[in-house]
Amino acid sequence: MMANRSAWRTRVVRPGLIGPIGLVLLWSVAHSVHWVTPRLLPGPLETFGTLWSSVVQGTLWPDLVATALRTGYAFVIAAVAGIPVGVVLGSSPVIYRSTEFIIDFFRSTPATAMFPLFLLVFGIGEESKVAVAAFSAWLVIVFNTAYGVMNARKTRILAARVMGASDWRVLRDVMFYESLPQTFVGLRLGVSYALVVIIVAEMFIGSSDGMGRRIIDAEQVYDLGQMYGTIIATGCIGYAINLGFLALERFFVKWSGK
C-alpha cells in the first residue's frame, strides 16, 4: 500500500506541481525585471499575501459562498432539465435533426450576448443571473448527453433487443448507461460554463456580493493585489470542481472504455 501511494505521488503529484511552480517563477521574474510595470502586476508574494489575509480574516468567504450557491443552482437546473432532453434527442434521429439547428444556434451564441434578453424576462436580480448560467450549461449538457446516446455501442443494443427488451428498457438500461461517460463530460463542461457566466453576470448585471463583484470592486479602487488574488481564488474553485467531477466519473462510470 505504501509503495502504491509513493508511486502515485511520483507519477501524479510531483509532475502536477511543475506547471504552477513554473508559472509563479515566471510571474516573479516578470515582476522583478519590470516586463510589466509593478503598478499593473503586483508580485506573487504580495498577491498571495493579500489572498491569505482575505481567507484568514473571513472577508472572502461571503463572496465565495454567494458565487458557489448561484453556480450550484444554475448547474442543478441545467442537469435536471438537460439530461432527459439529451437522452430523448439522442435516441431519436428524427427529433435530433429537427431541433439540431435551434440548439446549435444558441450553443454557438455567446452567453454574454443573451444577458439583455434574460434581464428583460427575469429582471435585475438573482433570477436573471442563475437563468442565463443555467441556459448556457443546459445546452452543453444536452449536446453531450445526446452524443453519448447516439454513440452507444450497437452490439449491446442489439443484444438487449434479441433478449426481448422493449424500447423503453433499451433506452433506460442500455442507452442511458452507455451515454454516462459522455454525459459526465457535459456535466463537467456545464458546471464550468455556469461558473464563468455567473462571474461575468456578477460583474456586469449587478450584484451586491460574489467573486465577480469582488473583482470589479478591487479593480475600481486599484487594489490589484486583491483583484489578482480573487481571480486566483476563482480559478481554484473551478479547478476543484473539475477534480470533483473527475472523481465522481471514476466512481460511477467504472466501465468507461470497456
Side-chain angles (χ1 to χ4, degrees), residues 140-141 144 179-191 249:
V140 178
I141 293 172
N144 279 275
S179 69
L180 277 182
Q182 190 65 34
T183 298
F184 265 97
V185 173
L187 292 175
R188 284 196 288 116
L189 291 174
V191 73
E249 182 178 356

Side-chain angles (χ1 to χ4, degrees), residues 25-59:
L25 290 175
L26 180 61
W27 181 4
S28 300
V29 172
H31 175 74
S32 300
V33 302
H34 294 180
W35 287 346
V36 180
T37 174
R39 291 180 298 175
L40 299 178
L41 182 66
L45 290 179
E46 177 185 348
T47 301
F48 285 111
T50 302
L51 176 58
W52 178 250
S53 298
S54 300
V55 172
V56 172
Q57 295 171 6
T59 59

Side-chain angles (χ1 to χ4, degrees), residues 169-222:
R169 288 292 301 275
V170 170
L171 179 64
R172 187 190 68 183
D173 297 335
V174 180
M175 289 185 176
F176 173 74
Y177 288 101
E178 282 285 297
S179 69
L180 277 182
Q182 190 65 34
T183 298
F184 265 97
V185 173
L187 292 175
R188 284 196 288 116
L189 291 174
V191 73
S192 297
Y193 276 48
L195 177 61
V196 170
V197 174
I198 287 294
I199 295 294
V200 176
E202 290 172 347
M203 288 179 174
F204 300 112
I205 288 183
S207 178
S208 60
D209 53 14
M211 301 296 278
R213 180 76 264 167
R214 188 180 183 88
I215 293 170
I216 283 293
D217 288 345
E219 185 268 338
Q220 289 178 344
V221 299
Y222 213 68

Side-chain angles (χ1 to χ4, degrees), residues 85-97:
V85 173
V87 171
V88 172
L89 289 179
S91 61
S92 174
V94 175
I95 298 177
Y96 180 82
R97 286 195 297 269

Side-chain angles (χ1 to χ4, degrees), residues 103-118:
I103 297 178
D104 205 14
F105 173 82
F106 284 106
R107 186 171 66 97
S108 303
T109 303
T112 51
M114 304 293 291
F115 282 171
L117 173 62
F118 281 86

